[in-house]
Amino acid sequence: DVCGAALTHRADDDPETVRNRLEVYRRQTEPLVAYYESRGTDLRRLDGDRPVETVQSSLIGALGREGGR
């Protein structure tokens, strides 16, 4: 806390919530990724841990390679 204001804690940012989100990802999303990869689907991965403009540009580029679909 640099500015001296009171810190707030978001309810969706506690360790239990994060653990739950990761577990849901492992149970529900990872199997889908594996399924589509095993079928040879043109699955694209984008790094969302970058500035919004960079992610948006990557997404538009990935969609553009599909012929505008």
Side-chain angles (χ1 to χ4, degrees):
D1 180 28
V2 176
C3 70
L7 295 177
T8 59
H9 179 78
R10 293 177 14 184
D12 65 342
D13 228 7
D14 66 32
E16 184 57 33
T17 301
V18 173
R19 278 191 288 277
N20 185 54
R21 284 184 185 158
L22 290 171
E23 179 56 32
V24 168
Y25 173 83
R26 287 183 196 106
R27 263 193 345 264
Q28 296 179 1
T29 305
E30 272 185 352
L32 283 174
V33 170
Y35 170 79
Y36 285 112
E37 285 179 335
S38 74
R39 296 185 54 123
T41 304
D42 188 15
L43 184 67
R44 307 224 176 113
R45 295 174 184 258
L46 300 176
D47 179 3
D49 194 22
R50 299 176 296 163
V52 171
E53 296 81 12
T54 306
V55 174
Q56 180 182 26
S57 178
S58 295
L59 179 58
I60 290 169
L63 293 173
R65 287 195 298 266
E66 293 183 2
R69 286 187 284 173

